[in-house]
Amino acid sequence: MNMTANYHTHTYLCHHATGTQRDYIERAIEAGWKTIGFSDHVPMPFPDGHQTRYRVRLEDLRYYMWILENLREEYKDRIEILIGFEAEYYPSCFENMLRVLEPYAYDYLILGQHYVREESEGIYSSDPTDDPEILHRYVETTLEGLSTGKYTYFAHPDIINYTPNDDIYKKEMTYLCEECKKMDIPLEINILGLEPRRAYPSERFFKIAAEVGNSFVLGVDAHQLKAVGNMETLAMAENFAARLGITPLKTVKIRNPKG
Ligand SMILES: [Zn+2]
Ligand SMILES: [Zn+2]
């Protein structure tokens, strides 16, 4: 089965991915995609001026939008191009982040919570932990973010790497999934995590989500051109979903954060 829409694509502008916007678009057309959504790491205007290494820089935001708007026009008869961002929900910074984006005609945000609660606290979500408090704060923070109604879907919801396979994990994640279901937020099966294998996508997480009956979407999370149209990893993702009885959506409903 082929993929026709992917909403999770990075570019060289975030300083840890390679490939230009045009390269990804050309490759997506070759792969038969009907929609490519760019979701580079959002510039985050931290109050203390902190700069994250892995983000689009604030001063590059205008260019990110400009080049994608131009390419969207140039390629409009060949592929749908959506302009988005992968954004954490950091309570102290969220309103400022929206303000920075406000002048631009972007289409969507996806939630990717790389740090628990606040980046300044320095707890990286995918670092292994056996602390139930960290798990709880992750769940609480992401739900708070999603409840703003600004996010189209939840990228790698299972990035939190709580290691004990216990009732606490089950309880917290069941709650997370139930709330996402109420808000009709699709959960992403992150293909980047499959090869080389990361701790996510996590079978125990998606087993819970499948029981809750969430909606799902595959996300390539492309950081390299070769990730686009990679049939091997796509097959791995489809097998992963099929094993759990999950049928991912082909397209998702875009929620425009500007309403
Ligand atoms: Zn991410
Ligand atoms: Zn990503």
Side-chain angles (χ1 to χ4, degrees):
M1 205 178 4
N2 206 351
M3 181 174 233
T4 53
N6 169 55
Y7 307 89
H8 198 161
T9 314
H10 295 278
T11 77
Y12 75 100
L13 281 178
C14 68
H15 311 281
H16 66 284
T18 51
T20 66
Q21 293 77 5
R22 185 186 293 278
D23 292 339
Y24 281 102
I25 292 163
E26 289 283 347
R27 184 106 183 183
I29 292 168
E30 274 169 42
W33 292 4
K34 303 277 175 272
T35 301
I36 180 167
F38 285 90
S39 56
D40 226 338
H41 295 279
V42 75
M44 197 68 86
F46 290 104
D48 64 356
H50 169 73
Q51 295 250 20
T52 320
R53 267 191 314 209
Y54 66 79
R55 296 181 193 286
V56 174
R57 295 196 182 120
L58 267 175
E59 60 266 31
D60 292 334
L61 175 59
R62 188 187 289 268
Y63 176 75
Y64 178 76
M65 292 302 307
W66 177 84
I67 188 77
L68 286 176
E69 282 167 5
N70 278 283
L71 291 167
R72 178 163 60 187
E73 181 59 25
E74 183 183 332
Y75 283 89
K76 66 172 186 253
D77 298 328
R78 300 169 68 194
I79 190 167
E80 179 187 35
I81 296 171
L82 296 172
I83 310 176
F85 298 93
E86 179 176 13
E88 295 83 354
Y89 173 72
Y90 296 142
S92 72
C93 211
F94 187 64
E95 291 302 326
N96 272 342
M97 181 195 89
L98 293 179
R99 210 166 297 133
V100 162
L101 299 178
E102 178 61 29
Y104 301 101
Y106 66 108
D107 298 302
Y108 69 98
L109 299 174
I110 56 176
L111 177 68
Q113 191 72 13
H114 302 101
Y115 286 86
V116 177
R117 194 90 191 151
E118 295 285 351
E119 193 160 314
S120 54
E121 293 175 26
I123 303 167
Y124 197 59
S125 303
S126 64
D127 283 346
T129 178
D130 58 5
D131 184 350
E133 185 55 28
I134 289 179
L135 174 64
H136 183 69
R137 280 162 65 81
Y138 174 83
V139 169
E140 200 176 56
T141 308
T142 53
L143 287 177
E144 197 177 302
L146 292 169
S147 70
T148 63
K150 301 291 186 192
Y151 293 94
T152 285
Y153 83 55
F154 194 172
H156 46 63
D158 48 345
I159 192 172
I160 187 73
N161 195 355
Y162 177 75
T163 48
N165 197 3
D166 59 9
D167 288 348
I168 297 173
Y169 184 81
K170 177 123 202 225
K171 186 168 156 263
E172 291 284 357
M173 289 319 209
T174 302
Y175 179 66
L176 181 71
C177 292
E178 284 172 350
E179 294 300 306
C180 287
K181 188 181 174 185
K182 279 186 210 160
M183 293 186 273
D184 197 20
I185 300 280
L187 306 178
E188 180 201 72
I189 297 173
N190 187 280
I191 296 180
L192 178 68
L194 287 168
E195 185 57 41
R197 196 71 173 90
R198 299 186 177 186
Y200 62 87
S202 144
E203 211 158 306
R204 65 173 177 164
F205 174 80
F206 283 99
K207 209 176 272 177
I208 294 168
E211 267 168 36
V212 169
N214 287 91
S215 57
F216 302 94
V217 58
L218 300 181
V220 173
D221 200 357
H223 284 75
Q224 291 181 310
L225 289 172
K226 65 175 190 213
V228 176
N230 183 327
M231 298 310 280
E232 208 175 310
T233 49
L234 181 61
M236 287 167 80
E238 283 170 346
N239 287 338
F240 179 91
R243 270 203 307 281
L244 298 167
I246 288 172
T247 311
L249 300 167
K250 284 285 178 199
T251 58
V252 299
K253 190 176 114 247
I254 296 295
R255 289 176 206 230
N256 190 319
K258 299 174 84 175

